[in-house]
Amino acid sequence: MAARLLLRRQIAAGAIFTSVALLPKSTMHAEAPEGSNSRKPIYDDYESLPPSSTTPDSPSNAHSEKPAKPSSPTPTDRLAVHIGKARLFLYAHIAAAETKVNEAMDSALDMESSFTSTIASLAPSPQSGEKLMPGALYVLVAAMAGSIVTRNRNIMLRVAMPLAVGIGAGWAILPVTTRNVGDLVWKYEERFPVIASGHIRTRESIEKAWWTAKAHSQHTIQIVDSKIGEGRQTIESWVKKGK
């Protein structure tokens, strides 16, 4: 009986020793009284904001969100698009019309400038001493005289004679102006090779006829002079014999 009691005491002592050995050896601290550090200074104007409870989206949340479908344009948007197209259309056509008008005005101004410069180039220089007003009247009167002379002839002669007489009078009275007019006519004739070649042939034939007529006239003058000389010598011999 005594042995059993002793064995129980030993077992109880061993259990107590084992439990004490297994307990954690940590220092225990007393808790601070509430409100010791929670007192707020009276000079703080703003309370600190609470920390944000939002967390960044995780990749799983990003993949889980579906993209929003694009909304269809409203009637106002469609109307604005149509108005923009109409404005661009009108602007393009107005710009094209303005360009055409500017080109037409430039062409008209160029033609006017060319016409005035051409007329000014026909006038004789002051050094030539030609006067257009009386000279032009003389040429016109000469052309009318040629028309009057050939009024009962055929149509070709009635057309050619005033022109020939007028051109001849122009070369005689207004040589510088007539030369300028001829140069201008030739410049326009060069644009048409057929007319230019015909003009050249006509001028060559006229010049040839002129030189031929001049040569014949000189030959005729020489013959007349020789005949007159012979007649004078004959008369002189008769006079001498009569003495």
Side-chain angles (χ1 to χ4, degrees), residues 155-186:
I155 186 67
M156 294 297 296
L157 190 59
R158 281 185 292 177
V159 172
M161 183 59 69
L163 290 176
V165 174
I167 293 173
W171 279 107
I173 300 172
L174 300 172
V176 178
T177 305
T178 306
R179 187 184 305 109
N180 294 337
V181 173
D183 294 339
L184 178 63
V185 172
W186 174 250

Side-chain angles (χ1 to χ4, degrees), residues 31-41:
E31 295 181 358
E34 294 182 0
S36 61
N37 294 327
S38 62
R39 184 175 297 175
K40 184 178 180 182

Side-chain angles (χ1 to χ4, degrees), residues 4 13 110 117 151 226:
R4 289 180 179 178
D110 292 339
S117 61
R151 66 181 183 275
S226 63

Side-chain angles (χ1 to χ4, degrees), residues 8-24:
R8 288 179 179 176
R9 289 178 180 176
Q10 290 179 354
I11 292 171
I16 292 170
F17 179 77
T18 303
S19 62
V20 171
L22 293 176
L23 287 175

Side-chain angles (χ1 to χ4, degrees), residues 28-192:
M28 302 297 291
H29 297 281
E31 295 181 358
E34 294 182 0
S36 61
N37 294 327
S38 62
R39 184 175 297 175
K40 184 178 180 182
I42 62 175
Y43 297 104
D44 291 344
D45 294 333
Y46 302 98
E47 295 181 355
S48 60
L49 296 175
S52 176
S53 61
T54 58
T55 57
D57 296 336
S58 61
S60 61
N61 294 333
H63 289 292
S64 62
E65 293 181 357
K66 295 181 179 179
K69 295 182 179 179
S71 60
S72 60
T74 62
T76 304
D77 296 336
R78 291 195 295 269
L79 180 61
V81 171
H82 289 299
I83 291 174
K85 291 181 179 180
R87 290 179 63 186
L88 291 176
F89 178 79
L90 290 176
Y91 174 77
H93 283 72
I94 290 173
E98 184 179 1
T99 303
K100 293 295 184 182
V101 171
N102 291 334
E103 290 178 356
M105 293 298 295
D106 293 339
S107 178
L109 292 175
D110 292 339
M111 290 179 62
E112 181 182 0
S113 177
S114 176
F115 179 76
T116 53
S117 61
T118 301
I119 296 300
S121 65
L122 296 178
S125 60
Q127 292 80 10
S128 62
E130 287 186 5
K131 295 182 179 180
L132 287 176
M133 194 56 202
L137 290 177
Y138 297 155
V139 172
L140 182 60
V141 170
M144 291 177 64
S147 176
I148 292 171
V149 170
T150 58
R151 66 181 183 275
N152 294 327
R153 303 295 187 273
N154 57 6
I155 186 67
M156 294 297 296
L157 190 59
R158 281 185 292 177
V159 172
M161 183 59 69
L163 290 176
V165 174
I167 293 173
W171 279 107
I173 300 172
L174 300 172
V176 178
T177 305
T178 306
R179 187 184 305 109
N180 294 337
V181 173
D183 294 339
L184 178 63
V185 172
W186 174 250
K187 183 174 69 175
Y188 284 105
E189 285 181 354
E190 286 180 344
R191 300 179 182 179
F192 305 97

